[in-house]
Amino acid sequence: MDTGNEQMRKANNLQYKRFYRMVPLPSVAVLLLLFFVPLFFTLSSAFITEEGLTFLRVLEVFTDSYTVKIMLFTLWQATLSTLFSLLVALPGAYLIATYSFRGKRLILALSAIPFVIPSILVVLGFVIFFGNNGFLNRMLMSLFNLSEPPLKILYSFKAIILAHTFYNFPIIMSLVSSYWEHLDGNCESASQTLGANKVQTFLRVTLPRLLPAIISAASLVFLFCFNSFAIILVLGGGPQYTTMEVEIYRQARMLGNSGAAAALSLFSILTTTLLLLWYNASQRRLARSETYQNSKRLLEKRPATLSGKLLALFYTVSSFLFILGPIASVVIRSFMASSSRSATESFSLKWYRQLLSLERATGHMGSALGALTNSTLIALLVALCTVPVALSMCIAIRRREGKQSFLELLGMLPMTVSSVIIGLGYYLISARLRGGLALSYTLVVLAHLVIAIPFVLRTILPEYRKIPLSYMHSSLTLGAGPVKTFLLIELPLLKGAMFTGAIFAFALSMGEFNATLTLANSSITTLPIVMYRLIGSYNFQGACALGTILIGVCTIVFIVSEFAKGGSYGR
Amino acid sequence: MADNGLTCSLKASYKDFTLDAQFSVQAGELACIIGPSGCGKSTTLQLIAGLFAQEGGSLLLNGQDIGQKPVHQRHIAMVFQDYALFPHMNVEQNIAYPLKIRKLSRAKRKERVARLLSLVALEGYQKRRSQELSGGERQRVALARALASDPQLLLLDEPLSALDAKLRKHLREEIRRIHDETGITTVYVTHDQEEALSIADRIIVMHAGRVMQEGKGEDIYHNPASLFVATFMGEGTTLPYSLIPKTLVNPGASDPFVFKPMEGKHTIFFRPEHVLVQDDKNLPLAEYLPHLSFKQAEVQSCEFQGDHYRLACSWEGHTILCHSSYRPRTPMVTLGVRINRIREYVDGESIAKRLLSPVGE
């Protein structure tokens, strides 16, 4: 038999594999276009000036003492924020993993909030809750009869660290505790029967086993803090607390020096890529280090000692207060208004009336309704487009299981670039194209798409991997072709994951601030942008009204994602 | 016979494993492929089904070369190890799936599903969800689904391995009954030799990607073609040929054995149920029967198995397995094996009675 015949036979034989090879091509093209074109624009303006190709600009930026200071500060604040998050999160992880107590479910549920809440909302909640005129200060003032607000933390380094801690500690807590819960508890028992006391057991057995999970969660949080934008921009309150991301935005949009911004983004991209590689490696180490137990480790016990009970109580109350407090205060403030400057605030629908244009709005509130419709339309579009792209990539990734998937890496690629830099890329494109408003909005949608795709991919892919290959094989042997198999077996089984992914994409786009702000000109209005402008002009209640709508969207996402956890077919 | 049943010559390779297997199954037969894990038996099924690429060779089913056809056009049904019941469909929808693909009318589908369910003794299960079924029920639904489209060949990939021992025995009887009722040509993969011996018309023993022996269960058990097959299909004792002169008891003629030494390592093999165990020195063997006798064998272990005792005895550094109907009263016993129960191998390959050929047997 000659080789040509052989090859043909092989191709025919595995016709169904060809289908899976073709499926991802359009999405790959879309992703490459959406990601690399803006990146190309960014990098080219870092290296190419009117005089042609030059490394001078990059060199200049990297040796400038001001930028070096910013780089160091960026790393320093991320390190400190990560440490504080660990400090707050680890006791909680211990409590959750070891004990069952009232409020545990609540803490676990609450800890999912930071995963879905947009950063602009964190910022607003912080101002409203911790501000000089915020809920916490007012509470303390009336409690202790003070005339001055006791906590002055806003617009300072403390505020940045505090906000990052609040925003990120639940991530560490839930990741570490879920790993901890599934560790085989017999190892601890074995250690104790071998003569080690509780402390020795913890230090020599439990901690080393937990370490991979802790490192993995901490590096994720470090990455988030490194790329943090809105929190630093608003809460940092000044040039002395500028990080990389804020400086990129400032150079590009305030100083009009997009070349310097592009050069700066090189550093950011490099660091983020390294961090992501490290995070990926730590994830792989995590997967290798333990055989994951399906059953709960021990019979859960209630905290026995008084100090244990107090710790549990304290933790429940404080996480309740600090996670929910800022969010609740945003909602409460949105329903309050004072009739005149001196009068005390009372319940009012003023801001919602202004928002819906039922009342004459002042300042930026005038653009609120437009922003709401814009954001909703953009988010809908993003949700509808990301799911098919992510799904088709999942199909191809699933097919090549075993090999390090190039496609999976490609799908995660947009994560290596912070959303500010994606925004910068699209801003540079818009500067070249000089189109109208429609073009600007198109670019916003595209930027959101790039940002949302990795998240949707991460939502659908694990669900796809849960479908045993034997289902597809079974369907093929029963006479259904690859397309029919996809429509009748895979698609129905992925319905839930696709819906969750769409909802995620919708919420992500609704709350997207970093890229939108970086790329938007003044005529573009989306919900978070208008919120930012309202905060900037000290109309906090107006911002709260918009924030409440955003909270509503996030709540839906939150509920859906909680349901999706238990909602897949019992296999 | 080539146009009746399955004839295959399969070649495939991946990483450090190559598969090169030739065997045939006659129409209406139930054939078992058996082998240790990693021997390529599941790969063989996937090659037949078309789920894995074939590198040359041929695959003939009822006279047609199906090697080039895509999976869904081969008319080969397969029951997977995890049953692969679609979780978003109920029992009826699962079984009707291949019928729907073939665009049968709703009424016909309903009628056929009912018939199949009664075949697998699950009448009235139409509306159950697959999650509500027990392991055995799932297995039977998977079987009904595989049979729904009247396939030309049925492949079963370790269909009972996920079930407990008692259910396994019951269900293998069921599979045999269903096979006899439908008469469908079936290839059944298992790693359990007892299962293979009890269910199969024909057994195909595989090892390291190759077919070691193919034949009826009795043939394979009593005349294993190689030491591998001998030890894989049941227990036994392997001893070097050199101890024959020492142990041979030849009450008949002076020297009735022809001894033809060959190149390679000579070994003998026999099954434990063919060993006679006696706690006094006299074996209850008829005087004229030539046999090997192992005197002063020490009983190392004695396990009660219900209908017999399983003994491991040590004789001059060799371990001999034997079955006894009673528990020996002394620590030392005498063991005897008749010559005609002994199989001979050179370098692991059978050399049917070449070294020892008794006159008159």
Side-chain angles (χ1 to χ4, degrees), chain B residues 134-148:
Chain B
S134 72
E137 288 166 345
R138 282 178 202 208
Q139 199 269 331
R140 281 184 282 173
V141 172
L143 193 59
R145 184 178 69 180
L147 293 169

Side-chain angles (χ1 to χ4, degrees), chain B residues 213-265:
Chain B
Q213 195 173 357
E214 190 188 343
K216 277 192 179 350
E218 290 89 337
D219 283 345
I220 286 179
Y221 187 79
H222 292 301
N223 290 312
S226 62
L227 265 182
F228 169 79
V229 176
T231 48
F232 185 74
M233 297 297 288
E235 285 190 314
T237 304
T238 312
L239 294 172
Y241 184 86
S242 57
L243 50 76
I244 286 192
K246 253 198 279 182
T247 52
L248 183 66
V249 177
N250 184 16
S254 54
D255 186 17
F257 296 99
V258 185
F259 181 63
K260 290 186 205 150
M262 294 168 72
E263 291 287 307
K265 194 177 165 227

Side-chain angles (χ1 to χ4, degrees), chain A residues 113-125:
Chain A
I113 288 178
F115 282 105
V116 291
I117 199 172
S119 57
I120 189 72
L121 211 48
V122 177
V123 170
L124 182 63

Side-chain angles (χ1 to χ4, degrees), chain A residues 47-65:
Chain A
F47 290 108
I48 296 165
T49 57
E50 288 86 45
E51 293 98 57
L53 184 76
T54 172
F55 290 95
L56 226 62
R57 188 177 264 163
V58 177
L59 224 65
E60 218 170 85
V61 164
F62 275 86
T63 47
D64 185 46
S65 69

